[in-house]
PDB file of all heavy atoms in Angstrom:
ATOM      1  N   GLY A1597      -7.877   4.562  10.677  1.00 93.00           N
ATOM      2  CA  GLY A1597      -9.246   4.847  10.254  1.00 93.00           C
ATOM      3  C   GLY A1597      -9.600   6.326  10.376  1.00 93.00           C
ATOM      4  O   GLY A1597      -9.052   7.046  11.200  1.00 93.00           O
ATOM      5  N   HIS A1598     -10.503   6.759   9.468  1.00 93.00           N
ATOM      6  CA  HIS A1598     -11.073   8.119   9.504  1.00 93.00           C
ATOM      7  C   HIS A1598      -9.993   9.175   9.280  1.00 93.00           C
ATOM      8  O   HIS A1598      -8.947   8.861   8.736  1.00 93.00           O
ATOM      9  CB  HIS A1598     -11.840   8.321  10.814  1.00 93.00           C
ATOM     10  CG  HIS A1598     -12.777   7.173  11.092  1.00 93.00           C
ATOM     11  ND1 HIS A1598     -14.003   7.064  10.495  1.00 93.00           N
ATOM     12  CD2 HIS A1598     -12.606   6.056  11.855  1.00 93.00           C
ATOM     13  CE1 HIS A1598     -14.570   5.929  10.902  1.00 93.00           C
ATOM     14  NE2 HIS A1598     -13.736   5.292  11.722  1.00 93.00           N
ATOM     15  N   GLY A1604     -14.646   9.941  12.956  1.00 91.00           N
ATOM     16  CA  GLY A1604     -14.938   8.590  13.437  1.00 91.00           C
ATOM     17  C   GLY A1604     -15.774   8.671  14.699  1.00 91.00           C
ATOM     18  O   GLY A1604     -16.487   9.654  14.919  1.00 91.00           O
ATOM     19  N   ALA A1605     -15.651   7.638  15.553  1.00 91.00           N
ATOM     20  CA  ALA A1605     -16.407   7.653  16.809  1.00 91.00           C
ATOM     21  C   ALA A1605     -15.849   8.744  17.723  1.00 91.00           C
ATOM     22  O   ALA A1605     -14.668   9.094  17.631  1.00 91.00           O
ATOM     23  CB  ALA A1605     -16.309   6.286  17.474  1.00 91.00           C
ATOM     24  N   GLU A1613     -11.856   9.266  17.479  1.00 95.00           N
ATOM     25  CA  GLU A1613     -11.298   8.011  16.963  1.00 95.00           C
ATOM     26  C   GLU A1613     -10.142   8.268  16.012  1.00 95.00           C
ATOM     27  O   GLU A1613      -9.133   7.566  16.031  1.00 95.00           O
ATOM     28  CB  GLU A1613     -12.396   7.209  16.251  1.00 95.00           C
ATOM     29  CG  GLU A1613     -11.890   5.874  15.704  1.00 95.00           C
ATOM     30  CD  GLU A1613     -12.955   5.088  14.954  1.00 95.00           C
ATOM     31  OE1 GLU A1613     -14.111   5.547  14.908  1.00 95.00           O
ATOM     32  OE2 GLU A1613     -12.613   4.029  14.397  1.00 95.00           O
ATOM     33  N   THR A1617      -6.560   6.284  16.197  1.00 97.00           N
ATOM     34  CA  THR A1617      -6.125   5.367  15.134  1.00 97.00           C
ATOM     35  C   THR A1617      -4.772   5.792  14.565  1.00 97.00           C
ATOM     36  O   THR A1617      -3.909   4.949  14.291  1.00 97.00           O
ATOM     37  CB  THR A1617      -7.156   5.277  13.994  1.00 97.00           C
ATOM     38  OG1 THR A1617      -7.366   6.573  13.433  1.00 97.00           O
ATOM     39  CG2 THR A1617      -8.481   4.727  14.501  1.00 97.00           C
ATOM     40  N   LEU A1666      -6.962   0.210  11.280  1.00 96.00           N
ATOM     41  CA  LEU A1666      -7.098   0.356  12.732  1.00 96.00           C
ATOM     42  C   LEU A1666      -8.254   1.288  13.070  1.00 96.00           C
ATOM     43  O   LEU A1666      -8.368   2.380  12.503  1.00 96.00           O
ATOM     44  CB  LEU A1666      -5.805   0.899  13.339  1.00 96.00           C
ATOM     45  CG  LEU A1666      -4.557   0.043  13.127  1.00 96.00           C
ATOM     46  CD1 LEU A1666      -3.344   0.687  13.798  1.00 96.00           C
ATOM     47  CD2 LEU A1666      -4.758  -1.366  13.663  1.00 96.00           C
ATOM     48  N   HIS A1667      -9.089   0.845  13.995  1.00 94.00           N
ATOM     49  CA  HIS A1667     -10.265   1.627  14.407  1.00 94.00           C
ATOM     50  C   HIS A1667     -10.477   1.507  15.909  1.00 94.00           C
ATOM     51  O   HIS A1667      -9.840   0.702  16.580  1.00 94.00           O
ATOM     52  CB  HIS A1667     -11.515   1.121  13.664  1.00 94.00           C
ATOM     53  CG  HIS A1667     -11.526   1.495  12.219  1.00 94.00           C
ATOM     54  ND1 HIS A1667     -12.328   2.478  11.701  1.00 94.00           N
ATOM     55  CD2 HIS A1667     -10.790   1.010  11.179  1.00 94.00           C
ATOM     56  CE1 HIS A1667     -12.096   2.594  10.408  1.00 94.00           C
ATOM     57  NE2 HIS A1667     -11.164   1.714  10.050  1.00 94.00           N
ATOM     58  N   ALA A1668     -11.390   2.319  16.424  1.00 93.00           N
ATOM     59  CA  ALA A1668     -11.836   2.211  17.821  1.00 93.00           C
ATOM     60  C   ALA A1668     -13.341   2.453  17.801  1.00 93.00           C
ATOM     61  O   ALA A1668     -13.795   3.551  17.459  1.00 93.00           O
ATOM     62  CB  ALA A1668     -11.120   3.224  18.703  1.00 93.00           C
ATOM     63  N   ASP A1669     -14.065   1.433  18.130  1.00 86.00           N
ATOM     64  CA  ASP A1669     -15.505   1.364  17.872  1.00 86.00           C
ATOM     65  C   ASP A1669     -16.332   2.151  18.892  1.00 86.00           C
ATOM     66  O   ASP A1669     -15.816   2.711  19.840  1.00 86.00           O
ATOM     67  CB  ASP A1669     -15.918  -0.117  17.919  1.00 86.00           C
ATOM     68  CG  ASP A1669     -17.078  -0.414  16.997  1.00 86.00           C
ATOM     69  OD1 ASP A1669     -17.724   0.549  16.544  1.00 86.00           O
ATOM     70  OD2 ASP A1669     -17.336  -1.601  16.742  1.00 86.00           O
ATOM     71  N   GLU A1773     -10.581  -3.411  15.563  1.00 94.00           N
ATOM     72  CA  GLU A1773     -11.234  -2.451  16.459  1.00 94.00           C
ATOM     73  C   GLU A1773     -10.497  -2.582  17.781  1.00 94.00           C
ATOM     74  O   GLU A1773     -10.617  -3.594  18.464  1.00 94.00           O
ATOM     75  CB  GLU A1773     -12.724  -2.791  16.617  1.00 94.00           C
ATOM     76  CG  GLU A1773     -13.557  -2.639  15.350  1.00 94.00           C
ATOM     77  CD  GLU A1773     -13.951  -1.189  15.046  1.00 94.00           C
ATOM     78  OE1 GLU A1773     -13.495  -0.268  15.760  1.00 94.00           O
ATOM     79  OE2 GLU A1773     -14.704  -0.992  14.067  1.00 94.00           O
TER      80      GLU A1773
HETATM   81 ZN1  LIG B 957     -13.773   3.519  12.824  1.00 58.90          ZN
END
Side-chain angles (χ1 to χ4, degrees):
H1598 312 280
E1613 181 182 357
T1617 59
L1666 300 181
H1667 288 254
D1669 211 346
E1773 294 280 5

